Amino acid sequence: MLCGPFISQNNEQVQSGDIRFKDEKDEIHFLTYDQLFVSLLDYIYDSLEQRHRDKLEVIIVPSHADITHIFPVPQPPMPTDQFATTKFARTGKMPHLVANPGLFTLSDISVGVMNCDVMQSMCRNVVEKNTLTEAQRHAKLTQMGIGGLPTANQKEALAQKPPNKLEGVFRTMLEQRSFYPLYPNTQEVPIEWQQIEGLGFNAQPDVIFTPSDLKLCAKVSTYDHLTVLEHQWNDLCQPRQCGEGS
């Protein structure tokens, strides 16, 4: 699954409009945004080993920062004619194009993807009150044991870690059944609120991917109790964007 931006509007050369490269003969060529996009997709295609091309299914998710797909979130899938001259289309291995946010199914596993930094937006703009657990608050308010020393139960309660803020973001997404449970939106993420239905999901996906500049993490959620736990298997994943650093 490739998450944009592929040709980022924040790239210095893209912003200047001066996109050029030198070929093997040291000749300078100028490219349009669409030509650069096709070159990038062909590079990705060539990077795949031949033995993997016949079995591998490529899923492409757009980004609000894509210069060749200028739409606010929620975004429609990229148009198929944008891939007409790529090696993927010419060899009959057309990628699967999904919306942003998008829902799709892989072998009876429902997958949701939100390709914007909702993690960072929520962590920066949401204030949590009383972040201590009930056990920690009880330990602080309860009178200390004999001699002013905490009891064994109080020591255990005080040793517990406070709730992780990322876990709170995941929990909010599941509670509100929304890929972007923040209003108003941040300046970094343009939202078309008249299309708010496109940000929600009626049935909880088995797996949710959301790229972020924050630390990589994978969380498992038991929705019935609204708890998010660290686990070796993941159904809430936070990958990196394929255009990061470009």
Side-chain angles (χ1 to χ4, degrees), residues 93-189:
K93 295 296 295 182
M94 183 67 184
H96 301 278
L97 308 178
V98 301
N100 179 33
L103 293 166
F104 55 93
T105 303
L106 293 175
S107 300
D108 297 328
I109 298 176
S110 60
V111 180
V113 56
M114 177 57 166
N115 189 18
C116 77
D117 205 339
V118 61
M119 298 291 106
Q120 191 173 81
S121 296
M122 293 283 289
C123 289
R124 285 183 175 180
N125 295 278
V126 173
V127 178
E128 293 186 9
K129 184 179 181 181
N130 297 329
T131 57
L132 294 178
T133 64
E134 291 294 335
Q136 287 175 309
R137 287 196 293 269
H138 180 74
K140 287 183 175 295
L141 295 176
T142 303
Q143 184 177 5
M144 291 294 184
I146 300 176
L149 298 176
T151 64
N153 291 336
Q154 290 171 339
K155 287 182 178 180
E156 182 179 356
L158 289 171
Q160 295 180 10
K161 295 181 179 180
N164 186 284
K165 204 164 187 179
L166 287 178
E167 295 176 3
V169 175
F170 290 139
R171 186 181 299 111
T172 303
M173 293 174 67
L174 299 179
E175 286 179 329
Q176 299 190 21
R177 294 182 179 271
S178 174
F179 287 107
Y180 195 87
L182 178 65
Y183 183 85
N185 55 293
T186 61
Q187 294 181 351
E188 293 80 11
V189 182

Side-chain angles (χ1 to χ4, degrees), residues 4-49:
F6 296 92
I7 311 298
S8 176
Q9 63 183 8
N10 299 319
N11 184 279
E12 293 183 359
Q13 286 183 299
V14 172
Q15 290 179 345
S16 68
D18 186 9
I19 303 175
R20 66 178 76 182
F21 77 97
K22 292 183 179 181
D23 59 14
E24 298 176 352
K25 298 180 180 180
D26 206 31
E27 295 180 354
I28 297 178
H29 296 267
F30 294 88
L31 298 178
T32 65
Y33 297 141
D34 291 333
Q35 290 172 334
L36 184 59
F37 177 80
V38 171
S39 298
L40 176 61
L41 266 292
D42 287 347
Y43 172 80
I44 294 174
Y45 180 87
D46 293 335
S47 300
L48 302 176
E49 295 184 16

Side-chain angles (χ1 to χ4, degrees), residues 35-76:
Q35 290 172 334
L36 184 59
F37 177 80
V38 171
S39 298
L40 176 61
L41 266 292
D42 287 347
Y43 172 80
I44 294 174
Y45 180 87
D46 293 335
S47 300
L48 302 176
E49 295 184 16
Q50 181 64 42
R51 60 190 178 93
H52 291 156
R53 291 175 186 167
D54 296 334
K55 299 180 180 180
L56 189 65
E57 297 291 336
V58 178
I59 300 172
I60 290 185
V61 187
S63 167
H64 61 85
D66 271 311
I67 196 66
T68 59
H69 192 68
I70 304 177
F71 288 92
V73 180
Q75 295 179 287

